[in-house]
Each structure stands twice: as C-alpha cells, then as structure tokens.
Amino acid sequence: MMINQLIQLWRRLFFYLRRDQFDSELEEEMKFHLEMKAKENAEAGMEPLEARYAAQRQFGNQTLLREASREMWSVRFIETLMQDLRYGARMLVKNPGFTAIAVLTLALGIGANTVVFSIINAVLFRPRPVAEPERLVELYSSDARNPYGGAGYQDYLSFRDQGEVFSGLAAYRPKRFKLGGEDGVEPVIGEMVSGNYFDVLGVKAFSGRTFLPEEDRTPGSHPVVVISHHLWRWRFGADPALIGKPIKINNQALTVIGVAPPEYTGMIRGLAAEMWVPVMMIPRLDDDMSLLNSRGADWLFIVGRLKPEATLEQARARFDLISGQLRETYPETWRKRAETGATLEKSVTILPESETRIHPGEGAGAYAFIAVVLTIINLVMLIACMNLANLLLARATARGKEMAVRLALGAARWRIVRQLLTESVALAALAATAGVLLAIWLMNALAASLPAFQGIRFAIDLQLDWRVLLYTLAFSFLVGLLFGMAPALQASRSDVIGNLKDGANVFAGARRQSRLRNGLIVAQIALSVVLLAGAGLVIRTLRNLNPINQGYDSLNLVVAPIRLEERQYDRARSQDFYRRLAERTRALPGVRSVVFADRLPVVRLLGRARSPVGIEGYQPSPGEDMALETDTIGPGYLTAMNIPITQGRDFDERDGEDAPCVAVVNEALARRYFAGGRALGKHLIRSAGKRPDQLCEIVGVVRDDRFQSLRTELLPWYAFALSQTHLTSATMLVHTEGAPHNLVLPVRREIQALDQTILVGGVLTLNDSFGPLLYIYRLFGLLVGGCGLLAIILAVIGIYGMVAYAVSRRTREIGIRLALGADKQKILRLVMRQGMILVVYGLSAGLLLALALTQILTSSIFEIPILIGVNATDPLTFGSTALLLIVVALLASYLPARRATKVDPMVALRIE
Amino acid sequence: MGKDKRQDKTELLPGTLEMLILKSLDRIAEPMHGYGIALYLKQISRDVLQVEEGSLYPALQRVALKGWVKAEWGQSENNRRARFYKLTPAGRRQLKQEVADFERILEAIMRVMQPS
C-alpha cells in the first residue's frame, strides 16, 4: 500500500515538471473528442456548423474539465503553499521599508539566540571528542559533604584493578605547569594523567604516539609528555622534528613523544589543556611523593570505559561492593571523622559522560547567568514581535476590503489565516537566514577577541552543528507564528458587509481591534522599561568597576601577585622574602612606596573575605555570625592608600612577628561592638588553628569610605598585620611617581632576581589587572545596553506608528473640528493625549515589573555579583529610565500629531 | 457547475465510473481513446449511461495516475492523432477487485429492495 502511494507521489512530481506538455496534450485530446462528436452529429443529419455547435454544447465546460483533470495530478497542499508563498513574497517586496525593518529586528533577535544556544550546545550538549562517548563514565568519591569529589591515587589503583566492568579506567587532573623557554617561564595548563588515559578515551595521536604502559609504572622513571595540537602549532611552529626532543617543564626536561589531535583539548569542558604528563612524573615535577602514596588525598578524577556487554547499573553494583570492602580495609580514609564529630563514609558515584560535561553540582551559577542572558535577549524579541504584530494589524485593517471580497467569494477562514501566517513565517525565515549569518559573524568575532589570561586558554568549539540549526529553525518558525497569529486571526474575522461598503469602515470589530493594539503598545513599553532599567544598572556597575571610581584615582599602581611554593617557604622564609622584595623594589627609581596586602584590588572588588573573630568584652548572642569582613595588610598600607585614620595609627615596622599582635578596625565595627565607639586600646581575639588564641590590640581605627567597599551599606571590618600572619600568597602594591607602565618590567625583574621560579606574568598596572574582569562585565554591558537601545527604538517605532494610525483614522473628525474653528494646539494635545495615556500605563507597569525582576540580579546564585556598588532598586536609575521614556514618547507622538494639525479641513472632509 | 439539462440523467455510484472504464477497456481488448470508451459505454448500456466529458477525462487521469491504465498517443481510424488508453496488469487486478466489491454491494442493495 505504501509503495503505491510513493509511486503515485512520484508520478505527481513528474507532472509538475511537464506541466505545459500535460496541458497541450489534454488540449489536443479534447479537440479530437470534439471533432468525433461533431462527426457523429453530422452523420445523424445535422448541418456541419450546427453539428459543431451541438458538439461543443454537449461537451460541457472545457475549463472545468481542464481544471478537474489537472487537479487529479496536483498535490493540493503544495499547490496552495506555493501560491501562498508567491503571494506573500509579492507583499513583502511591495513594502520594502517594512520588510527591511522587520527582517533586521528579527534577525538581531534570532542571531543573538543562535549565539547563546551555540554556547549552551558547545558546553552541554555536544559530547566530548572521544571514541564512543556513550560508553564513558566518570567516577567520583562521595561523602556527605561532597558528593562529587576526586579520588586518591591508591584508591584509583584499587578501582582499576578490581573494576571488572570496565575495559579501562584512567585518571586525570588539571594542573598548572611552568613551561620553560629562552625568554622565560610561562604558565600553561595541562593534565596529569594515568598511562592508559588516551587508550581509555580512544584518542589517537595526531603525530607520534601516546603513552606506553611502562611509562606510568615507576615514579620518575620516564620523563615523557604529549602536547596539544595548539601548543605544537603556536609555541613550536608545528615543527615536525619536535617528536623525540625534550622541552622544559617545571625545570625538568621531558621528551615530547606525541601531539594530540586538534579537536581534543582535555577532559575539562572549555579549558584548553596544552600537555599531558604521566602521573608518575609528579615526584620529579613537584618534588613530592605524598600524592602518589597517600590514599586520602582526593586529587584525581577518574574516567572509565564500560565493556561492551556491561551496563551502568552493573558498574554501580560492582563499585558498591568495592566501596564496602575498602571501607573495611581502610577505615582511616574511608570512614573519616569530621570536625563536627560525625562519621563521613565514602562511597563511589558513577555518572555517564553526558552528565559530567559540566562538573556535577556546580554550574548552577552559570545556568542562572545563561538564563538571565536568554531572558534579556528574548524580551527584546518579544517587543519586536509585538511591534510587528501591531504593524501587521494596522495593515490588516487596510487590507480589510481585500479580505472581505475573499470571504464573500467563499474563501475558508482558515485558508486566509494560513495565507497570512505563511507571509509572517516567510518573513521570519528570511530573518532567520540573516540571523544565522549574523550569528556566525558574531561568534567568530567573540572567538577572536577572547583573551587568554595567565596561561588559561578557553577552548569552546562554537561551530554550528545540526542541533543549533534545528533550534534556529524551530525558534524562527515559532516567532513567525507568534507575531503573525493576532493579525491573521483578526483579518479573517473581517466584517464582510461593513468592509464592502464604501465609507468609513470602523466600529464594532474595530474597538476590539484597537484594544488589542493598545494592549500590545502598553506591553511593549513595559518590557522596554525593564530592559532600560537593567541596562542602566549594568552601566552604573561598569562605572563603578573603573578603578578611578573605587578610590584609586590619585594612585599610580603596579600590582604584583606573589605566589610562593608552600613547600619551600615556611613562615620565616616567606616573611623574609617579602621584606627583601620590598627593600629592593623601593630602591627602584620612580617608586614612591611599596605596601603589601593579601588580595589583589580586583579580587577584593568581588570577594568578601570573612573570618570569625572574637571581640573583647563582647558576648555574641547564640547563632550570631561573628564572621566579619577582613583583610590582611602590611605596614604602611593604610597611609599609602589614603585611607583616613581617625584614631591611632597604621601598621608599621614595630609590628613584627615577635611583637604583640595588633589589629586595625573600621568605625562601623567600633560603633557596633564597643561602647561609645572607643575601640582604641581594646582587643580582638584571634584564633589560628593549632596556635592558642591571641589577644590583638586595636592600634588604629579608620573611617569607612568608598575605597574600602563599594557596597551600599557599611559593614564592620578588621585587619591583621601581614608580618604576623603566615601567607604564601600576597600582593605587592607599588606606588609610582609617574606612569606605572614603566615600572612593570623592573618589578618583574626584582621578583625573579629573588626567586626565579615565581611566575611574574600577573605583574601589571592596576588598570591592566582589571582587564579580564572588565572584559566580562563590558561584554554583558554591551549586551544589555544594546538590548535596551533596541527596546527604545522599537518603542519609539511602536508609539509613532500608533499615533500616526490613530490620526489617519480620525482624519475626518479632525477636519471637521478644524473647520468648526478648533484651536490647533487643542487638536495636538487631543491626539497626543491618547498616546501618552498608554505610555503612562506602560510606564507604571514596567516600573513595577522592573523593580521585581532586577531583584533577581542580586541573587547569590551567581558566583560573582552582577551589580557592584548599586542597589537593584536604585532610584537614580529608575528615575532616569522613566524620564527617558517619557521624553522619547512625547517626541514620538508629537511628530505625527503635528501632521494632524496640518490637515486641510476641506481635504479631510472629502476623505471617504 | 455547468450541467447540461438532459433527460434521464442517471447518477452513477461514486467510483463506478472508473470500474466501467476499466471493464470497457477489458472488453474492447485493444487500446481505445476517450471518445471511443464513452461511445462504447453508451452503446452497450443502450443509451442509459451517457458519460459527460467533464467526468470522463478526470476519471481517465485518475486511473492513469494510479497506474491501472497506460496512455499512449497513436493514430485513430481516420488518421487523426489521439491518446489511446490500455489496461495494465495492475489494472486488470484492480478490475477484478472492483467487480467483486460491486457485486457484493449490489447484492446487499437487492436484498434491501426485495419485496418481502
């Protein structure tokens, strides 16, 4: 039966190709029949001419015959679709202005959606570029505190040897390496991996080979490395002879045995790994065997390939068994006691590869952020659709007569709806094509501009694949339906009689129609307000991100993050390092002062380091959170940073390691916890792990100002002295006389002079150090700002269109009024009032909506704050948004209104 | 719809026209043009079945589309070019099927109409 249908379909398609031939053949066939009939009539006795006429009469309606015959062959659906498309295309071409604007706005929205979905696709949906990713799973060791933790090396070995369900189990861990070269050490990200890593994943070397089993058996025995394709190309110029040669990693010589294929960038999504080193090389690279020997250090991630006949449930069952055995055999690590006294039992969680593309348990912040971005983009999309719907509605009324005629001739309602929808979907399809092109361009631009920071390179494959295209197609189709539905339904409900009559065609249906249109305008304006308010908030955040606005204005600063190797620097040695470094740096020409703090200014902006502290004489109520904001600062910090000291002094040389513990607090802390705000001379109680609690005298009180915190409320804050704290990672801040750029290299040299192994790539001027952060915020600001701008333009178009339309409807009425001597100003106000009322409704709704929605931006689900230094309900932002909208709306309604007053009464009265 | 007013215009059950066409071609046993089929039907049915051209040709198209007849151009008796239709094996099978169905329906109708 199916085959018959297919054959028929095939024949029908054939018909389309030979349409003309079909017509002419049918023509000839009918001529023959006619002649035979005439002959018959003549033989029956009629006159030749009469015979002919009689034959024709008997023959019947030839046109109908032709149509009926043709119809046998045609596929009805395609016929009407082609008809609709042709008609729709003609309508679009006839209104180039409208078409252009519509396609442009839709293309922007669709393109933006495509880009965002591309990113989501690249991160979430695309499987890793390995062999048969459906057979891969990842193993995590879980306990009550952390369900997705890594495993220790010894544990990994146990898993590997006992995990029969796996054809192979590999381990990996991302790690920062120092790649050496002639011009210094640069940081790169790579992975420590077990010897079977590439085999388990099914990744074949692009050039050379991957690891052999014996290369991962004995610690330190085989110094080999596989490098990434990217590293091979960019660092080593795709040198074919590199295989077999050594490169310097962490000051050790490792031989390059192979290059990975270009599409493989490691197991961590988005983070590009540049090299893979066997786990057995750790002792050589880090000078530390403990990670290999201990069972408790959970530092490895584990990935396994299931045997062809094994299932996930079997694997889980097997590993429940193994965990049970390990809990018995190694209770010290598998049955730990937490500080709270509870027992933490370890078990193994196994997840398929599809669920581990983002580390499970994390990513909530990323999802939330993507949701925000999608919402913003689609709000604009919605506004654009409403705009288009409005424009189409207006056109539908203009085409009212045409629709009425059609309906009168017997066209089915749904046929008309279908035709109008075809128009709008065609429009959306055009926009989709433009949008995809736009998206491609945008993604290329993004990929090219992605900065690489400190050796961290992002690698997201943003290529369009079938999923993205499918999404775009479906999305555009929906959009087309969305904005086309209302006008199409409206048109098909045309008042036939009323429209066919000449004369003002308004009234019953029109009222419902204008309510719809007005509602759309109000909704548009409300959404625009939301977008504008959001844009305003983000713009203010960007302003606050500018270092100048944070109080660093008069300071020329070079910031130098220092990271000392924990194993090599104990307390005494690190303090000594800082002292010597400060001395040497101060000696540099052009340096005004050198101070230390624990965190970089850019990091302080984002993170609020809190630590519990005790306050002398203050008994905290049960449950009160005594974790207050804190920093650790070196001598002279407060003075150098122009932080006003209202009482007491700054930290100085007196406050050394052996001197009595000292502290500095801010006025907010003093006011809150000490009677009369007199904190000077009192003490803070400092607990530091194993050491006994220390009493630290408060030697200084500072006034809160913008510099300390961009937050809108002032919180208590305290600081301890750097010299009295063991920190292996600190920040040196160098004030310079002139431009700080000149001192970046000298500072780097001084650091390297003291310890060559310290990475100095992060030593930058203050402004430069804000670079990465600013990049992200600027990108987001660009997005929101762009959407806000678009929203306002669309709102203007909408309001203008509405007022112009209203004027055109009431032209007669206005003419009459003018003829009767009405004041032009009054007419103006009358027309404008109609529009402004809607604006006011929209504005109020929008402000309320915005107040609610922007609260989301302050949610803590985002890892870093979206708004900095500004409240989500900032009155300045909301006020200026409202003002902007009102001004713009006034202008948009004034222009067409003015045209109304120029109406010549005589002309208006004559308009039908 | 342009129906001519003729006397005794008999209405056919839907679908029977195709069956009649197929049967005619079967009985004629050689390729025949549209006019010839109509003529044959008129003659054999003693002027009861006079098929309108407006129904005949669309029906011919339908059976051609379904593959039951094959159309070819040829020469008529008086050397005019005409399109001839020929029954295909599939058409023959279809004819058998349709005849069986028709006889069943006919029998049913007869049973209803029988004087009890």
Side-chain angles (χ1 to χ4, degrees):
Chain A
M1 213 45 234
M2 257 303 278
I3 305 187
N4 277 342
Q5 306 266 31
L6 282 174
I7 296 181
Q8 275 187 49
L9 196 64
W10 180 248
R11 289 207 191 100
R12 287 182 202 252
L13 289 174
F14 226 51
F15 156 74
Y16 275 107
L17 294 172
R18 295 142 105 244
R19 241 190 113 192
D20 297 331
Q21 189 180 0
F22 178 86
D23 283 345
S24 64
E25 285 187 343
L26 194 62
E27 198 70 44
E28 192 163 349
E29 196 171 5
M30 294 202 302
K31 229 170 72 173
F32 172 77
H33 193 122
L34 214 56
E35 280 184 17
M36 296 297 280
K37 257 228 147 82
K39 205 168 94 173
E40 186 186 331
N41 287 343
E43 279 164 9
M46 286 193 206
E47 294 290 321
L49 205 57
E50 221 206 301
R52 238 216 138 62
Y53 284 147
Q56 267 176 334
R57 252 180 294 133
Q58 287 156 2
F59 199 84
N61 189 338
Q62 291 193 30
T63 316
L64 217 53
L65 188 156
R66 268 188 227 115
E67 287 234 348
S69 303
R70 249 189 254 136
E71 212 157 287
M72 282 300 128
W73 286 91
S74 63
V75 183
R76 204 66 186 292
F77 180 67
I78 295 186
E79 285 264 328
T80 48
L81 193 65
M82 295 302 299
Q83 227 178 13
D84 288 344
L85 277 175
R86 266 197 299 256
Y87 193 80
R90 241 183 309 157
M91 292 305 299
L92 289 179
V93 168
K94 265 208 313 188
N95 298 310
F98 166 76
T99 313
I101 294 183
V103 168
L104 194 64
T105 33
L106 287 178
L108 282 173
I110 294 178
N113 261 287
T114 306
V115 170
V116 173
F117 186 77
S118 242
I119 296 178
I120 297 178
N121 181 42
V123 172
L124 279 182
F125 297 138
R126 248 202 228 121
R128 292 187 172 89
V130 299
E132 284 179 58
E134 339 61 78
R135 307 295 308 165
L136 282 183
V137 296
E138 289 210 52
L139 279 70
Y140 303 95
S141 59
S142 324
D143 57 32
R145 239 185 341 199
N146 181 9
Y148 301 108
Y153 186 69
Q154 295 294 325
D155 278 343
Y156 160 67
L157 289 179
S158 310
F159 294 159
R160 189 188 65 182
D161 298 332
Q162 299 177 40
E164 309 154 338
V165 287
F166 292 111
S167 62
L169 208 62
Y172 67 95
R173 173 76 193 205
K175 185 175 168 58
R176 286 186 111 116
F177 294 100
K178 295 182 197 160
L179 184 62
E182 312 86 45
D183 41 339
V185 176
E186 73 175 271
V188 288
I189 303 270
E191 288 179 350
M192 308 287 307
V193 300
S194 56
N196 57 357
Y197 176 80
F198 288 105
D199 300 325
V200 167
L201 291 176
V203 173
K204 303 231 177 344
F206 172 81
S207 157
R209 62 172 176 88
T210 57
F211 303 117
L212 298 167
E214 58 265 17
E215 284 167 340
D216 193 38
R217 225 172 262 148
T218 355
S221 58
H222 284 84
V224 291
V225 61
V226 173
I227 61 174
S228 74
H229 195 263
H230 182 267
L231 192 70
W232 182 58
R233 267 191 78 189
W234 294 109
R235 190 57 151 70
F236 300 104
D239 178 9
L242 187 64
I243 314 267
K245 292 227 194 74
I247 59 177
K248 217 170 189 203
I249 300 178
N250 285 22
N251 250 330
Q252 305 283 325
L254 270 71
T255 317
V256 177
I257 56 165
V259 177
E263 67 274 4
Y264 188 71
T265 54
M267 281 292 286
I268 309 284
R269 201 66 141 178
L271 192 65
E274 309 284 15
M275 54 181 59
W276 292 272
V277 180
V279 156
M280 281 297 155
M281 284 306 295
I282 286 195
R284 285 269 289 266
L285 294 174
D286 277 354
D287 205 17
D288 177 14
M289 275 293 291
S290 63
L291 283 175
L292 287 182
N293 290 337
S294 83
R295 197 170 271 275
D298 296 336
W299 63 289
L300 281 171
F301 297 121
I302 306 186
V303 59
R305 181 175 289 279
L306 286 170
K307 283 198 178 128
E309 60 278 5
T311 65
L312 190 60
E313 291 70 40
Q314 287 174 345
R316 287 191 173 133
R318 176 96 192 117
F319 272 81
D320 281 342
L321 214 72
I322 297 179
S323 318
Q325 289 171 355
L326 287 171
R327 274 196 289 268
E328 295 299 318
T329 333
Y330 303 103
E332 333 78 58
T333 50
W334 279 76
R335 275 215 170 106
K336 277 201 291 237
R337 307 208 104 241
E339 299 90 47
T340 52
T343 315
L344 291 172
E345 281 203 350
K346 246 202 241 188
S347 58
V348 174
T349 311
I350 306 185
L351 291 177
E353 186 264 343
S354 50
E355 289 174 36
T356 66
R357 290 175 190 152
I358 299 190
H359 188 81
E362 284 177 26
Y367 290 142
F369 185 70
I370 288 184
V372 168
V373 171
L374 270 179
T375 311
I376 292 177
I377 295 177
N378 287 320
L379 274 182
V380 180
M381 201 70 214
L382 207 59
I383 298 179
C385 285
M386 288 194 221
N387 227 343
L388 281 175
N390 243 338
L391 286 171
L392 284 177
L393 272 176
R395 252 196 354 177
T397 358
R399 284 163 80 174
K401 255 206 179 112
E402 171 199 337
M403 296 302 155
V405 170
R406 286 194 177 191
L407 285 169
L409 282 179
R413 288 236 141 96
W414 73 267
R415 180 84 172 75
I416 294 191
V417 170
R418 213 183 78 174
Q419 191 228 304
L420 290 175
L421 279 180
T422 311
E423 259 184 65
S424 48
V425 170
L427 196 62
L430 262 180
T433 332
V436 167
L437 291 174
L438 186 70
I440 295 180
W441 175 82
L442 204 67
M443 289 193 289
N444 282 335
L446 260 180
S449 79
L450 258 186
F453 303 118
Q454 303 270 292
I456 299 180
R457 190 171 64 89
F458 297 106
I460 302 188
D461 184 8
L462 281 181
Q463 265 190 334
L464 292 177
D465 64 9
W466 62 270
R467 282 182 212 94
V468 178
L469 286 176
L470 193 65
Y471 172 82
T472 306
L473 219 72
F475 185 73
S476 335
F477 187 72
L478 277 173
V479 165
L481 281 183
L482 185 69
F483 76 78
M485 189 57 83
L489 287 176
Q490 201 62 265
S492 68
R493 277 199 226 110
S494 262
D495 176 19
V496 177
I497 312 282
N499 272 324
L500 284 178
K501 276 202 276 201
D502 273 345
N505 49 7
V506 193
F507 318 141
R511 185 159 307 152
R512 179 178 43 190
Q513 213 186 65
S514 44
R515 233 187 296 148
L516 180 62
R517 299 194 64 218
N518 289 341
L520 281 175
I521 293 268
V522 170
Q524 271 186 56
I525 294 179
L527 291 180
S528 304
V529 168
V530 173
L531 280 174
L532 285 173
L537 289 174
V538 173
I539 290 175
R540 284 202 72 186
T541 300
L542 273 179
R543 261 198 90 231
N544 285 333
L545 276 183
N546 191 335
I548 294 185
N549 283 335
Q550 295 172 41
Y552 293 99
D553 38 337
S554 56
L555 304 169
N556 293 317
L557 273 181
V558 171
V559 296
I562 316 254
R563 250 229 202 125
L564 304 171
E565 295 282 343
E566 279 188 28
R567 263 176 299 280
Q568 294 172 6
Y569 284 85
D570 61 5
R571 185 167 176 142
R573 203 163 159 213
S574 42
Q575 294 293 335
D576 180 57
F577 181 88
Y578 298 138
R579 237 191 325 271
R580 300 219 324 256
L581 182 59
E583 262 175 43
R584 294 181 70 118
T585 315
R586 271 189 209 111
L588 288 174
V591 168
R592 238 183 349 156
S593 57
V594 173
V595 291
F596 282 82
D598 54 350
R599 292 172 298 155
L600 278 169
V602 65
V603 175
R604 289 181 80 225
L605 190 64
L606 298 176
R608 304 163 189 207
R610 285 168 176 257
S611 197
V613 70
I615 300 189
E616 177 191 32
Y618 182 81
Q619 187 63 249
S621 24
E624 182 178 354
D625 185 13
M626 289 307 288
L628 305 177
E629 303 203 335
T630 177
D631 285 307
T632 310
I633 55 184
Y637 181 87
L638 300 170
T639 344
M641 290 297 179
N642 291 338
I643 300 175
I645 306 173
T646 51
Q647 299 173 42
R649 62 171 178 83
D650 195 352
F651 290 149
D652 54 38
E653 299 306 325
R654 286 180 266 172
D655 311 305
E657 293 164 55
D658 310 312
C661 178
V662 289
V664 158
V665 301
N666 69 349
E667 285 183 346
L669 189 148
R671 272 193 300 265
R672 177 144 160 65
Y673 297 103
F674 292 100
R678 279 188 294 275
L680 209 55
K682 302 276 185 6
H683 296 83
L684 294 181
I685 308 166
R686 178 184 190 177
S687 27
K690 307 182 196 96
R691 288 157 158 245
D693 287 355
Q694 280 184 297
L695 274 178
C696 301
E697 186 190 343
I698 299 176
V699 297
V701 178
V702 299
R703 180 166 59 234
D704 312 300
D705 64 356
R706 209 177 29 173
F707 183 71
Q708 285 299 86
S709 79
L710 268 181
R711 266 155 275 124
T712 42
E713 357 87 80
L714 298 167
L715 296 173
W717 169 88
Y718 67 94
F720 289 127
L722 182 71
S723 43
Q724 296 176 344
T725 318
H726 177 42
L727 280 181
T728 48
S729 106
T731 307
M732 178 169 71
L733 298 153
V734 182
H735 297 81
T736 63
E737 295 285 347
H741 287 280
N742 306 328
L743 274 141
V744 171
L745 281 178
V747 169
R748 287 186 183 182
R749 261 182 260 128
E750 293 305 327
I751 298 176
Q752 296 249 283
L754 282 179
D755 185 339
Q756 222 189 6
T757 66
I758 298 181
L759 294 170
V760 291
V763 178
L764 302 163
T765 64
L766 181 69
N767 285 335
D768 289 346
S769 75
F770 275 80
L773 191 70
L774 274 178
Y775 178 80
I776 299 175
Y777 278 90
R778 272 206 201 112
L779 216 57
F780 186 58
L782 207 69
L783 176 74
V784 184
C787 287
L789 188 68
L790 214 62
I792 256 219
I793 292 178
L794 288 171
V796 165
I797 293 179
I799 297 175
Y800 183 94
M802 175 192 69
V803 177
Y805 179 72
V807 164
S808 70
R809 288 276 227 69
R810 297 169 78 172
T811 313
R812 212 158 176 215
E813 175 198 338
I814 294 174
I816 294 177
R817 285 178 188 249
L818 284 174
L820 290 178
D823 180 20
K824 286 211 169 158
Q825 286 300 318
K826 268 185 107 182
I827 303 267
L828 196 73
R829 254 175 304 182
L830 180 74
V831 172
M832 280 180 68
R833 193 159 50 130
Q834 205 186 17
M836 290 314 286
I837 287 183
L838 292 179
V839 170
V840 168
Y841 283 149
L843 193 60
S844 349
L847 283 174
L848 285 172
L849 200 63
L851 279 170
L853 288 180
T854 48
Q855 291 286 10
I856 298 180
L857 289 179
T858 55
S859 157
S860 57
I861 199 177
F862 307 107
E863 318 271 307
I864 56 176
I866 295 190
L867 298 178
I868 296 185
V870 56
N871 267 333
T873 55
D874 180 41
L876 179 62
T877 311
F878 278 78
S880 30
T881 300
L883 200 64
L884 180 66
L885 202 69
I886 292 179
V887 165
V888 154
L890 277 172
L891 201 67
S893 41
Y894 173 70
L895 289 170
R898 205 161 143 262
R899 235 187 300 133
T901 64
K902 297 263 173 69
V903 168
D904 180 357
M906 294 314 296
V907 173
L909 285 171
R910 279 196 223 112
I911 285 187
E912 301 280 346
Chain B
M1 276 294 265
K3 268 201 159 73
D4 282 351
K5 287 194 178 28
R6 292 189 187 161
Q7 320 125 305
D8 302 324
K9 183 81 193 63
T10 17
E11 304 252 353
L12 285 173
L13 287 171
T16 44
L17 180 56
E18 277 141 31
M19 184 184 71
L20 292 172
I21 291 176
L22 292 177
K23 188 63 180 175
S24 309
L25 286 174
D26 185 39
R27 294 276 288 268
I28 296 174
E30 55 175 12
M32 180 46 74
H33 45 70
Y35 177 75
I37 296 176
L39 198 63
Y40 180 81
L41 280 173
K42 183 158 166 250
Q43 287 174 345
I44 295 292
S45 71
R46 303 199 195 149
D47 282 7
V48 175
L49 299 175
Q50 298 189 47
V51 192
E52 283 193 349
E53 292 72 15
S55 323
L56 175 68
Y57 282 99
L60 278 170
Q61 299 297 330
R62 202 181 301 131
V63 295
L65 172 64
K66 297 232 168 113
W68 298 333
V69 307
K70 197 156 147 54
E72 268 167 8
W73 286 91
Q75 295 282 354
S76 74
E77 313 85 47
N78 46 355
N79 275 334
R80 281 273 286 107
R81 218 167 92 93
R83 184 143 61 180
F84 288 80
Y85 296 88
K86 189 171 81 171
L87 200 59
T88 64
R92 230 172 276 275
R93 283 197 295 273
Q94 178 68 18
L95 178 60
K96 231 192 272 189
Q97 178 70 43
E98 295 226 5
V99 168
D101 290 341
F102 182 75
E103 284 177 347
R104 218 183 44 200
I105 293 178
L106 195 60
E107 200 185 319
I109 294 179
M110 294 302 285
R111 256 186 266 135
V112 172
M113 301 300 285
Q114 284 286 17
S116 36

